[in-house]
Amino acid sequence: MNNKLYGNLIFELSEKGRKGYTLPRNRFGNYALPDELRRQDDAQMPECDEMTVVRHYTNLSANNFGVDNGFYPLGSCTMKYNPKINEEMAALPQFQNLHPLQPADTVRGAEAVCTLLCRALCQLTGLHAFTLKPFAGAHGELTGLMVIRKYHESRNDGQRQLVIVPDSAHGTNPASAAVCGFDIIEVKSTAEGLVSLDDLRRIVEAEGPRIAAMMMTNPNTLGLFERQIPEIEQLIHQTGALMYYDGANLNPMLGAARPGDMGFDVMHINLHKTFSTPHGGGGPGAGPVGVREGLEQFFPQVSPYHGNFAVAIRAYAYILSLGREHIKEVGPLATLNANYIKECLKDVYELPIDGLCKHEFVFDGLKDKSTGVTTMDVAKRLLDYGYHAPTIYFPLLFHESLMIEPTENESKTTIDGFIDVMRQIADEAKTNPEQVKSAPHHTPIGRVDDVLAAKHPVTTWRQLVAEHC
Ligand SMILES: *Cc1c(COP(=O)(O)O)cnc(C)c1O
């Protein structure tokens, strides 16, 4: 079989009888599984020697781009350095070998990590209590909305069916509200990129007693601080509804302002974004939910045991290593880095919303639209220069969105390198647009057909082989 054509799967490297393991001597005697639990045929596993396995996966990993390979300015997702000390802490055998059903008096240390992390989150957010159970940001949203539903039901006010979500919100916000059984009302943004108070007043007047909550992301998905939160909070609370804070990316707020002080009742934090856990490719994550006093009785049971405990350990290690004084620098540094890039590039990239941003901002493609070079082309060309692309085509408010988040822990040298390359690409778009449009030229795989991959996913190696033979 041609390995190049078939992507070099471990199954294709298999040769009957090859072994890459030696089993330890059996110390437990033979235990026969009941017949009905035994398979009839041997499992179809790849048979490879150890070096083949090591080289296969090492080569595959080298085809990947991660925060440890290079700058990764992915807006809204906060791909930042994950300190290796976090990994060491999470890998301590005293944590790693715990069993969730161990007697409580043998896991006091792990309990203390959970308690102390929750306490730190309360201090950082100004809320009263946290649950660590949710496995991700979206799971946290669902958990928080379940709290809000229970709260209204406890007051015999269960008819509140509507959740207000800004049009700039992350897609998980309306999705979580829908999964929780709410109907969604979208509130518009102003030309300035903030929640439109006029539109919100209209919604509140029309729907008042049917509103259960308003979800807000702050800084919002455009990287802007929602300056009208006091007015919004008053409008919403007057109707009897609660305020939900999407704190997936809390970096810019650390040391600057606290959701609890702004009047929010319920929030989630993405530990994997804000407090550093490697989370490429969909996990693992943790989305702890915090509530103001009196709401903790409504925490639902959304996962067994204590959620993704290893993520909690990493977050706590990160918080402890920064400490009370240095954690205050996270927000200002994230904000400084984002504004620096924005100001250095806004003469060649279209900046639809000017002014001070927080940890991230959005360009609407190249300023010179006559070259035909799109945001997709710029993103692909960046790979040739060793930079991961920013988030592209999100938020949906602009056609050519290019959403950049440098994070707080990049050096000025790295950021200047990125700025130079972004300017160079803008230059190439004028002088040699074809080179940008056909990028990437130096990666193992060029442009993939996203639509085909999404509509017709090939999920097993058998399917892959069958379709190519
Ligand atoms: C990432 C993100 C989420 C969802 O978090 P997941 O852990 O991916 O489920 C929600 N809201 C915002 C603003 C985000 O950036």
Side-chain angles (χ1 to χ4, degrees):
M1 216 179 284
N2 181 337
N3 284 338
K4 287 214 171 75
L5 182 61
Y6 295 107
N8 223 359
L9 296 167
I10 189 81
F11 289 92
E12 296 153 12
L13 304 175
S14 173
E15 284 185 49
K16 202 150 186 50
R18 284 277 158 85
K19 270 193 190 144
Y21 63 86
T22 33
L23 290 177
R25 200 162 48 81
N26 181 358
R27 291 183 292 126
F28 303 106
N30 285 327
Y31 177 79
L33 280 176
D35 268 349
E36 68 271 22
L37 293 181
R38 294 168 71 105
R39 66 168 84 244
Q40 302 302 311
D41 306 304
D42 285 346
Q44 298 295 304
M45 303 295 279
E47 299 180 65
C48 298
D49 60 283
E50 186 168 335
M51 275 319 297
T52 300
V53 174
V54 169
R55 288 179 183 144
H56 173 70
Y57 286 108
T58 305
N59 286 329
L60 274 186
S61 75
N63 285 344
N64 218 343
F65 193 108
V67 274
D68 289 351
N69 298 100
F71 188 49
Y72 206 132
L74 201 66
S76 175
C77 292
T78 310
M79 301 298 277
K80 69 180 175 191
Y81 174 59
N82 302 290
K84 302 303 169 255
I85 183 85
N86 296 358
E87 301 308 310
E88 270 177 53
M89 294 303 108
L92 284 176
Q94 292 89 333
F95 288 138
Q96 203 177 36
N97 296 335
L98 290 179
H99 190 282
L101 296 179
Q102 245 172 273
D105 62 353
T106 65
V107 293
R108 293 295 184 221
E111 278 180 0
V113 168
C114 296
T115 310
L116 292 170
L117 174 61
C118 285
R119 195 176 298 162
L121 296 180
C122 287
Q123 284 170 358
L124 288 165
T125 59
L127 287 167
H128 175 72
F130 266 84
T131 170
L132 298 180
K133 285 182 179 285
F135 286 128
H139 199 200
E141 293 167 22
L142 178 63
T143 306
L145 290 162
M146 288 164 83
V147 168
I148 290 172
R149 182 180 281 289
K150 277 262 153 37
Y151 162 79
H152 289 308
E153 281 169 6
S154 77
R155 295 156 43 95
N156 291 325
D157 205 2
Q159 84 285 1
R160 292 178 179 268
Q161 256 310 108
L162 298 176
V163 171
I164 303 176
V165 179
D167 60 6
S168 64
H170 196 274
T172 50
N173 287 193
S176 302
V179 169
C180 198
F182 288 111
D183 297 325
I184 291 101
I185 287 203
E186 195 174 89
V187 57
K188 292 196 176 60
S189 299
T190 60
E192 227 193 335
L194 303 176
V195 166
S196 159
L197 266 182
D198 288 341
D199 199 37
L200 188 64
R201 280 200 196 95
R202 179 189 62 77
I203 293 171
V204 164
E205 265 164 41
E207 306 287 357
R210 293 184 62 231
I211 301 169
M214 164 143 185
M215 298 180 87
M216 282 188 80
T217 307
N218 185 47
N220 68 21
T221 307
L222 297 167
L224 304 173
F225 192 94
E226 294 278 1
R227 290 192 305 274
Q228 296 153 321
I229 285 176
E231 289 90 333
I232 295 174
E233 179 261 334
Q234 230 182 1
L235 261 177
I236 295 297
H237 277 148
Q238 271 168 7
T239 71
L242 296 186
M243 289 288 286
Y244 184 95
Y245 188 99
D246 179 337
N249 312 281
L250 206 62
N251 333 21
M253 287 293 108
L254 293 179
R258 306 193 307 170
D261 301 337
M262 298 176 207
F264 285 90
D265 304 288
V266 182
M267 76 175 294
H268 80 271
I269 305 174
N270 282 15
L271 295 187
H272 44 294
K273 291 179 185 170
T274 306
F275 298 111
S276 79
T277 275
H279 61 275
V289 168
V291 294
R292 72 166 163 74
E293 192 164 6
L295 291 177
E296 66 273 22
Q297 55 178 310
F298 302 121
F299 278 143
Q301 184 68 13
V302 291
S303 73
Y305 316 115
H306 296 284
N308 268 340
F309 176 57
V311 178
I313 299 172
R314 290 179 176 94
Y316 191 54
Y318 186 73
I319 291 171
L320 280 188
S321 52
L322 286 178
R324 202 178 280 276
E325 2 153 16
H326 295 298
I327 208 150
K328 292 194 185 120
E329 293 164 15
V330 169
L333 278 177
T335 301
L336 175 64
N337 287 352
N339 280 286
Y340 178 62
I341 296 180
K342 171 170 65 66
E343 292 305 312
C344 289
L345 289 176
K346 72 178 187 186
D347 60 323
V348 281
Y349 290 86
E350 182 76 43
L351 183 65
I353 297 176
D354 206 351
L356 210 61
C357 67
K358 287 291 163 190
H359 60 307
E360 63 192 2
F361 64 93
V362 184
F363 283 134
D364 189 6
L366 280 158
K367 201 154 197 168
D368 182 356
K369 302 280 188 238
S370 69
T371 64
V373 169
T374 63
T375 277
M376 174 66 89
D377 302 329
V378 173
K380 295 293 182 191
R381 186 67 177 141
L382 273 170
L383 294 172
D384 280 337
Y385 288 103
Y387 293 92
H388 196 280
T391 295
I392 57 173
Y393 298 106
F394 179 82
L396 306 174
L397 298 175
F398 314 110
H399 289 298
E400 292 289 327
S401 284
L402 192 67
M403 189 185 197
I404 299 177
E405 177 182 2
T407 78
E408 65 277 11
N409 42 24
E410 294 294 346
S411 72
K412 179 159 183 297
T413 313
T414 302
I415 290 179
D416 282 337
F418 174 72
I419 291 168
D420 285 348
V421 163
M422 286 290 280
R423 296 193 70 88
Q424 171 135 5
I425 295 173
D427 224 40
E428 288 173 357
K430 286 197 182 122
T431 54
N432 190 359
E434 269 323 302
Q435 187 172 27
V436 187
K437 286 185 197 208
S438 53
H441 304 285
H442 307 311
T443 53
I445 293 178
R447 299 209 180 188
V448 289
D449 186 339
D450 301 332
V451 176
L452 186 70
K455 286 200 166 163
H456 187 59
V458 174
T459 52
T460 69
W461 72 281
R462 283 175 205 285
Q463 191 184 349
L464 192 74
V465 172
E467 288 183 7
H468 284 86
C469 291

